Amino acid sequence: MVGRNPNEGGRVSSPLELLFDLTFVIAFSTASAELARALGAGDVRAGLLGFGFAVFAVSWAWINFSWFASAYDTDDWLFRITTMVQMVGVLVLALGLPDLFASISRGEHLDNRVMVLGYVVMRVPMLLQWARVARQDADRAPVAKAMILSLAIAQAGWVGLALSSLSVGPTFALAAVLILVELAGPLRAERIGGGTPWHPHHIAERYGLLVIVTLGEGLLGTMATLSALISPTGPGWSDEVAALGLAGVALTFGLWWTYFVLPWGAALHAHPERSFGWGYGHIVLFGGLVATGAGLHAAAFAIEGSSTLTAVGTTLAVVIPVGLYLGLLYALYAALTRSWDTFHTMLLIPTAAVLGVALLMAATGVSLVWCLAVVSLTPWITVLGYELKRHPQGAEVPGP
């Protein structure tokens, strides 16, 4: 536990990290399904509150593990066992998400006990890992001790909040304070003694892999919508079914392509001091991708006739997260490089226009399937822009 070489050549994700990511497939899928259910029932406020809370908890646990592993992955038996315990915590957290959403919908006491239990199970092993660093890496012992302190304070706060009997409003207010404590902990710790020896290209790869995990929700949402169309109570196979299947896959594939068209690893290597805004901003980006899958799932409820959302509302459930993701994608790159490429503006303007066309189609009574098909075109504007212009993809990272 003396830290890995941050300039190590050929550094890639380990098999253990890939296994660890599988549990987050389940957690994000549960959050997506609960959001889709809430949207279909017309309980938009409860759905968004629960979804935001869940996405932060899941993403934050993954972020903490990934940055620690980038700096201190010894892959010894203790590291593996603590990782396994964290995987158990992710699954327990996922089990608690339905209770969380249901309690928000009722508007009474927030039932986050099982969720917090899973979160604590995930985080306690990190205390052990940081204790190993404090004992074995003398140069970075102050960093480790600062992390231990912030983790302990935050976990005590979450446990106290879970055991309280406060209503939803005060609970979320206190949760916001605890979230600030969580976010501030690494910021303070990394500024002590030069921080930890994380690997920029490894971190970029890790984030890219979680993007792929969250994109899986788009494919699940597409399958849910197709199942609604070809079910015994649905209209059955048709040209619309084929169009929707192609649109769902094209949307997911296009969103994947847009993320990897930007040179994240090179930018992090050039500007490691700006990594916090980039890393924290991905929590919202992950949420946008997971919410896209939830929106497609909500469209399935609408097609089945079991949704209270209007056609415009259902289309918005996909348009908003897609637009959020694409806008944030370029904003994160601009913040990391402290520069703005006018080429990105030229891509975002038609992207926004196409999303607007999809909403206009829904408002004028066009079939929901074709509205979603138009939404699926949006990421391909970026893809075509980069391919046709042959825009340099990381040949030189801009910014001072």
Side-chain angles (χ1 to χ4, degrees), residues 269-282:
H269 180 79
H271 308 292
E273 73 283 358
R274 303 170 192 168
S275 61
F276 273 97
W278 179 85
Y280 287 4
H282 269 73

Side-chain angles (χ1 to χ4, degrees), residues 49-50 52-53 100 104 110 161 167-177 179:
L49 282 175
F53 196 43
L100 172 74
I104 297 175
L110 188 70
L161 195 61
S167 60
V168 172
T171 299
F172 270 102
L174 291 174
V177 175
I179 288 173

Side-chain angles (χ1 to χ4, degrees), residues 59-344:
S59 301
W60 186 242
W62 180 90
I63 285 172
N64 276 256
F65 169 84
S66 296
W67 287 80
F68 181 88
S70 186
Y72 289 104
D73 183 3
T74 56
D75 199 30
D76 58 5
W77 69 269
L78 187 53
F79 189 95
R80 292 185 175 191
I81 294 299
T82 54
T83 301
M84 182 186 71
V85 174
Q86 291 179 78
M87 292 170 66
V88 172
V90 177
L91 298 178
V92 174
L93 184 149
L95 288 173
L97 291 181
D99 292 338
L100 172 74
F101 278 82
S103 65
I104 297 175
S105 182
R106 291 192 299 267
E108 300 173 355
H109 167 64
L110 188 70
D111 188 357
N112 63 339
R113 290 170 296 179
V114 176
M115 181 181 175
V116 168
L117 173 62
Y119 188 71
V120 171
V121 171
M122 283 191 290
R123 305 289 276 148
V124 167
M126 291 304 302
L127 288 171
L128 174 61
Q129 294 284 47
W130 281 113
R132 295 178 69 193
V133 174
R135 185 176 67 253
Q136 299 176 21
D137 189 353
D139 291 339
R140 300 184 182 91
V143 179
K145 292 175 181 177
M147 283 300 303
I148 290 171
L149 178 62
S150 66
L151 279 169
I153 292 173
Q155 296 322 295
W158 290 118
V159 171
L161 195 61
L163 295 176
S164 68
S165 56
L166 297 173
S167 60
V168 172
T171 299
F172 270 102
L174 291 174
V177 175
L178 290 175
I179 288 173
L180 290 176
V181 172
E182 293 272 17
L183 295 174
L187 272 170
R188 175 177 175 274
E190 284 287 332
R191 281 163 172 72
I192 299 174
T196 57
W198 55 274
H199 194 294
H201 289 280
H202 174 251
I203 283 293
E205 183 195 29
R206 295 294 294 129
Y207 273 75
L209 289 171
L210 197 66
V211 163
I212 292 173
V213 166
T214 56
L215 282 170
E217 298 309 315
L219 296 177
L220 288 174
T222 300
M223 284 298 297
T225 312
L226 290 174
S227 297
L229 286 169
I230 63 176
S231 67
T233 58
W237 290 97
S238 66
D239 292 341
E240 285 194 342
V241 174
L244 183 61
L246 178 61
V249 175
L251 176 61
T252 303
F253 198 91
L255 293 175
W256 165 82
W257 200 324
T258 58
Y259 185 84
F260 290 98
V261 83
L262 295 171
W264 300 115
L268 281 172
H269 180 79
H271 308 292
E273 73 283 358
R274 303 170 192 168
S275 61
F276 273 97
W278 179 85
Y280 287 4
H282 269 73
I283 297 174
V284 182
L285 187 140
F286 295 146
L289 291 174
V290 177
T292 299
L296 291 171
H297 203 154
F301 292 145
I303 291 169
E304 290 174 334
S306 58
S307 174
T308 62
L309 286 178
T310 64
V312 173
T314 304
T315 306
L316 272 172
V318 182
V319 165
I320 291 175
V322 169
L324 175 66
Y325 163 79
L326 290 171
L328 189 58
L329 187 74
Y330 293 123
L332 288 176
Y333 188 71
L336 186 58
T337 61
R338 291 187 182 170
S339 65
W340 181 262
D341 194 334
T342 55
F343 177 62
H344 293 164

